[in-house]
Amino acid sequence: MFDIGFSELLVIAVVALIVLGPERLPKAARFAGLWVRRARAQWYSVKDELERELASEELKRNLKDAQDALRDTEQRIRDSARETERQFEDVRQAVRDDAKALREDVESAITPPALARPPVASPDPAPAIEEEGHLASTTDTHDDAASDDTHASDVGTTADLFPPKEPR
């Protein structure tokens, strides 16, 4: 501890025996041992307290590091959530725009051209007349056929659109 060798201790013991004498030497040795034990106990107490303080500081530092890491992770999660939400809103808006464009395309495809454009005045505006369940048009060439009862049952069939061919 103090770098004292055996020969030095022997010299100290001989001097103590001469100075103190054989009667007081055992009492002085006990007293010196008591003070050495107290000094060691105090040293170990200080050492333990210092180690506890260092351990406490290390725990505090580890706790602070863990809290910082948790805060960083929480911030990254929030940033990621915001980014994901922004991307979701972008996709949602793109889908809405596509749906609107598709709806407009479908509406324009379904809307008849007569409703899409203003009507053009015809040279001979004649009202359509309803006869026996069908509308007569001004270009109908079968005026006499519509009054025939046998032919009226065929109205709306392909025979109306394509009259039968005459045999050759």
Side-chain angles (χ1 to χ4, degrees):
M1 180 159 121
F2 294 107
D3 196 22
I4 297 175
F6 179 73
S7 62
E8 294 166 344
L9 284 176
L10 186 62
V11 170
I12 292 173
V14 169
V15 170
L17 181 63
I18 293 173
V19 172
L20 294 175
E23 297 173 2
R24 292 189 307 192
L25 185 62
K27 191 176 182 183
R30 275 186 253 132
F31 186 71
L34 176 70
W35 278 103
V36 169
R37 281 193 300 270
R38 283 185 184 174
R40 281 186 182 168
Q42 189 65 26
W43 170 252
Y44 288 131
S45 173
V46 169
K47 183 179 170 186
D48 289 343
E49 188 176 330
L50 185 62
E51 286 176 355
R52 281 194 304 262
E53 188 67 30
L54 289 175
S56 173
E57 289 295 322
E58 187 175 340
L59 284 175
K60 287 178 184 178
R61 187 175 46 246
N62 287 343
L63 181 61
K64 187 177 184 298
D65 291 345
Q67 286 174 342
D68 290 344
L70 182 63
R71 246 184 256 117
D72 290 344
T73 303
E74 184 179 359
Q75 186 62 36
R76 282 189 301 223
I77 289 172
R78 284 183 184 153
D79 292 344
S80 176
R82 276 191 228 119
E83 180 66 23
T84 303
E85 189 174 306
R86 186 187 61 76
Q87 289 175 352
F88 179 74
E89 287 301 322
D90 290 346
V91 169
R92 178 185 280 173
Q93 188 60 38
V95 167
R96 284 181 184 162
D97 293 344
D98 290 346
K100 184 178 178 182
L102 183 62
R103 188 178 311 120
E104 290 172 357
D105 288 347
V106 168
E107 286 176 357
S108 67
I110 292 176
T111 305
L115 295 177
R117 286 186 255 129
V120 178
S122 63
D124 183 26
I129 303 170
E130 186 173 335
E131 292 182 17
E132 297 182 26
H134 78 283
L135 292 176
S137 69
T138 56
T139 59
D140 195 2
T141 57
H142 301 290
D143 290 332
D144 60 329
S147 62
D148 188 13
D149 287 347
T150 59
H151 184 63
S153 64
D154 291 338
V155 172
T157 64
T158 54
D160 248 0
L161 297 173
F162 305 104
K165 294 183 181 177
E166 294 183 18
R168 295 186 196 182

